[in-house]
Amino acid sequence: MKIKSRVQLRKSAKTQLLDDIGSIFGEAVEQLGNSKFETANIDDMSLILVDGEPLLFQVNGIYFPTVKGVLKLGLMKNVVTVDSGAVRFVVNGADIMCPGIVDADPDIRENAPVIVIEEAHSKPLAIGISLMAGPEMKGNKGKAVRSIHYVGDKLWNLDV
């Protein structure tokens, strides 16, 4: 998976993008205010390059940070924490099941973008969409988060 062309984002589109991401994941994205934003289309998603790094992407009209973006920006809002037994499944692209969840941000709503981290080191493993509200995730049954991007997938290994 390679990027073939890049188009710089207009200032108004950049401002809207930062507002959208900031409302979901917090003020940590404000540090990107003076950065150069470019958009590139790959497969079924739109990738946002920030100063040449793939830090954000868009799927079905919703903006998400990449796992590398979470690491760089230090995003810690809308977070779902999984136990060590779930890690190997998550990094292979599996959806996140309720029994593997040890904590979830209570502000998470259904169909909201979430960051999946592991409990031992609090490192991000995946980005997904919540299938239920945050308080319902712990101690429940079934799928809680649909995985969209994870460590080791095509987006993680993207050659920019």
Side-chain angles (χ1 to χ4, degrees), residues 7-141:
V7 177
Q8 190 163 346
L9 230 55
R10 291 187 174 161
K11 189 174 182 180
S12 59
K14 175 181 162 182
T15 304
Q16 182 63 46
L17 170 65
L18 289 173
D19 289 346
D20 290 350
I21 292 287
S23 68
I24 298 168
F25 296 105
E27 289 87 37
V29 296
E30 289 177 4
Q31 61 188 299
L32 300 175
N34 295 327
S35 302
K36 178 182 172 186
F37 281 61
E38 298 171 293
T39 183
N41 291 323
I42 49 172
D43 295 340
D44 60 342
M45 68 179 74
S46 178
L47 183 65
I48 308 295
L49 302 170
V50 180
D51 292 332
E53 296 181 78
L55 300 186
L56 305 167
F57 67 101
Q58 181 185 32
V59 176
N60 298 329
I62 302 171
Y63 287 102
F64 300 88
T66 61
V67 174
K68 289 180 182 179
V70 172
L71 285 167
K72 182 167 179 140
L73 300 173
L75 302 177
M76 290 307 290
K77 191 175 172 200
N78 269 26
V79 172
V80 175
T81 307
V82 297
D83 62 22
S84 57
V87 171
R88 67 183 174 118
F89 298 105
V90 175
V91 298
N92 283 316
D95 290 337
I96 291 68
M97 307 299 283
C98 289
I101 295 174
V102 294
D103 193 26
D105 189 335
D107 296 332
I108 295 173
R109 295 173 320 218
E110 190 174 340
N111 296 318
V114 295
I115 300 166
V116 180
I117 65 171
E118 50 90 25
E119 82 177 315
H121 305 289
S122 298
K123 295 291 184 192
L125 300 172
I127 306 298
I129 295 181
S130 63
L131 301 175
M132 58 180 64
E136 297 172 15
M137 291 182 184
K138 278 177 41 179
N140 209 335
K141 293 180 181 178

